[in-house]
Amino acid sequence: MDKVISVSLGEIALKGLNRGYFEGKLVRQIKNVTRDLGVPKIYKSQGKIYIKAEEIYFEQIINRLKKIFGIVYISPCIRIEKDIKNIEQGAINAFKEILEKKDIKTFKVITKRVDKEYPIKSPDVSRRIGSTILDNFPNVKVDVHNPEVCLYIDIKDSCYIYTERIKAYGGLPIGTNGEGLLLLSGGIDSPVAGFMMAKRGVKLNALHFHSYPFTSERAEEKVKNLASIMARYCGNIPFYSINILNIQKEINKKCPEDEMTIISRRFMMRIAEKIAKDKSINALITGENLGQVASQTIQGIEVINSSVEMPILRPLIGFDKVQIIDISKKIETYETSILPYEDCCTVFLPKHPVTKPKLENIEKSEKNLDVDYLVDKAMQSMKYSIIKAK
C-alpha cells in the first residue's frame, strides 16, 4: 500500500489516435512543474496519469497541477493490490483520513472495474466495501442519492482508492493548438483573453504597446506583472514591448479626431502581424468583446480585421463585463489590472470616437500617413524579454 496522485484528463480522452500526442505534452508539463518536488515518478495507466512522490509534497504538487490545462480532476489515492481483503483495508484507511478532515454522516461507494478480468463485478465490490465501512464506522450511513462523500475504487492493474476529486481547469495542454500573439494591455480583458486561449492549447506570446514618456515605466511594469501571473497557467511568455507614440502623434496631426482609436488599432494589428509572421506565430489574440467600447462594434471590428491577413482571435467577443471580471478574479489578475496606471489607448483619446467606421473613409485618412515607415520605425523600439511565473 502506498500513496499516489491521480490525474483525470477530460477531453483528451476523446482524441482517438492523437491521444498519445496530447498525453505526451501533458506529461512533459507535469514534469516541468514538479521536478523540484522530490523528483516524482510519473506513469500512465488505463486512462489516467499517476504521480508517485513523497507525501510531504502532495499539497504543493496538487496546487501546481490545478493550473495545468488538460487536467479536469486531481485525486490523492491509496494504491493497493487488488485482492478484495486489501481493498477493504485500503477503504478503511481512506475513510479514516477523510473523517480526520471533516465530519461525515453519509457516504456512497463508486467502483469502476477497468480490469474486466477481475472476478468481482463493480456493484458487488461497492456493496462489500459499503458493508465494511458500515461495520467499522457505526456513525455513518449509506446515501446513494446525496452522499456527503463518495469513496471511489478504480480497479486496474492495481487498485486506486480515493475520496477527493479536486477540480482543475480542463481544456487542452499548452502548445497542442499552435501559438498566438496576445495584445496585452494593462486592463482587465486581455489577460482573461490570453487565459481562455491558453486553455484551448495555444502557446502564448505577448505584445504590449506603450506611449513613453506619455505613459510611465511603472505602467509597463504593471503589464509585466500581469504576464507573470498568467505564466502560472501558460508557462514562460515571450514578451515584446513597442513604443507607438510617434504613430499616435502622426494620426493626431493628420487624421480626423474621431478616427484616432480605429486607426491606432489598425497600426497595432499591422505591427503585431509583422512580429507574428517573423516568429512563426499562427494568430493574433485580443481582449475585445462586442459593444464594450466605441471601437468594438461589428463595423469597427470589420475595419480593424481588414488591416491584416492573419486571423484575429477574440475569445471574449460574447462575454459581458461581469463575466470577464469574475474570471479575472478567479485567475488572480484582477487586482493588478485595476491598478491606476495609464495605457497607450488613453493617449489622444477622442471625445466622440466613430462607432460605425467605413473602411473607405479610414483608408482615405491613412493616405495622409506613411504607414510602412511608421510601422518600421516603431519596430525599431521593440524590446524583448521572457516573463516567468511568480
Side-chain angles (χ1 to χ4, degrees), residues 72-111:
V72 289
Y73 290 110
I74 307 155
S75 299
C77 301
I78 292 173
R79 182 176 64 177
I80 201 166
E81 292 297 319
K82 53 189 175 183
D83 176 81
I84 191 63
K85 291 292 186 183
N86 290 333
I87 296 174
E88 287 178 326
Q89 186 57 55
I92 291 169
N93 292 348
F95 213 83
K96 279 181 180 176
E97 288 184 8
I98 195 66
L99 284 175
E100 289 172 359
K101 297 178 182 178
K102 51 187 174 181
D103 184 30
I104 300 296
K105 298 299 183 185
T106 59
F107 75 99
K108 176 183 178 180
V109 180
I110 299 175
T111 302

Side-chain angles (χ1 to χ4, degrees), residues 237-282:
I237 299 176
F239 184 90
Y240 304 90
S241 175
I242 289 182
N243 191 329
I244 59 166
L245 180 59
N246 288 335
I247 292 174
Q248 291 174 307
K249 285 180 176 179
E250 286 294 296
I251 298 170
N252 188 53
K253 283 192 297 184
K254 298 178 179 178
C255 299
E257 181 192 4
D258 64 347
E259 295 176 355
M260 179 75 195
T261 302
I262 287 289
I263 295 175
S264 296
R265 293 290 291 177
R266 282 166 60 86
F267 269 93
M268 291 178 189
M269 293 302 169
R270 291 184 180 108
I271 293 168
E273 182 180 58
K274 200 173 182 71
I275 295 170
K277 286 183 175 180
D278 183 58
K279 304 300 179 182
S280 299
I281 297 169
N282 309 102

Side-chain angles (χ1 to χ4, degrees), residues 50-79:
Y50 293 92
I51 303 167
K52 181 173 172 53
E54 295 179 54
E55 197 171 349
I56 57 170
Y57 295 118
F58 271 27
E59 183 177 355
Q60 287 176 276
I61 291 172
I62 289 169
N63 284 334
R64 295 183 189 185
L65 294 179
K66 284 193 292 186
K67 296 180 176 67
I68 297 179
F69 297 126
I71 298 172
V72 289
Y73 290 110
I74 307 155
S75 299
C77 301
I78 292 173
R79 182 176 64 177

Side-chain angles (χ1 to χ4, degrees), residues 9 12 22 25-26 29-30 64-72 168-176 194-202 204 230 232-235 331:
L9 308 183
I12 292 177
F22 288 87
K25 285 275 191 182
L26 186 57
Q29 288 169 24
I30 292 172
R64 295 183 189 185
L65 294 179
K66 284 193 292 186
K67 296 180 176 67
I68 297 179
F69 297 126
I71 298 172
V72 289
Y169 284 107
L172 297 170
I174 295 290
T176 55
F195 172 86
M196 298 295 288
M197 292 313 305
K199 185 179 176 182
R200 300 311 306 156
V202 175
L204 288 188
M230 295 172 63
R232 299 172 189 168
Y233 308 90
C234 310
I331 65 176

Side-chain angles (χ1 to χ4, degrees), residues 132-226:
T132 300
I133 297 299
L134 292 172
D135 291 341
N136 285 270
F137 302 94
N139 293 327
V140 300
K141 62 181 181 179
V142 173
D143 184 345
V144 296
H145 299 295
N146 190 30
E148 293 176 67
V149 68
C150 290
L151 181 67
Y152 297 95
I153 300 172
D154 292 349
I155 300 174
K156 303 181 175 184
D157 51 350
S158 296
C159 179
Y160 298 88
I161 302 171
Y162 52 100
T163 57
E164 292 183 271
R165 299 179 81 200
I166 300 163
K167 192 168 176 56
Y169 284 107
L172 297 170
I174 295 290
T176 55
N177 258 333
E179 293 195 40
L181 180 60
L182 172 67
L183 276 66
L184 183 61
S185 71
I188 295 170
D189 300 340
S190 55
V192 175
F195 172 86
M196 298 295 288
M197 292 313 305
K199 185 179 176 182
R200 300 311 306 156
V202 175
K203 172 73 175 72
L204 288 188
N205 302 259
L207 169 59
H208 175 62
F209 293 105
H210 64 89
S211 304
Y212 184 80
F214 282 34
T215 56
S216 66
E217 291 181 355
R218 292 187 70 183
E220 184 173 347
E221 193 63 31
K222 166 188 168 180
V223 177
K224 288 183 176 180
N225 287 337
L226 281 172

Side-chain angles (χ1 to χ4, degrees), residues 29-47:
Q29 288 169 24
I30 292 172
K31 286 180 178 178
N32 285 340
V33 304
T34 61
R35 64 179 42 164
D36 62 321
L37 301 176
V39 193
K41 177 184 176 183
I42 301 168
Y43 64 96
K44 295 186 287 184
S45 178
Q46 296 169 292

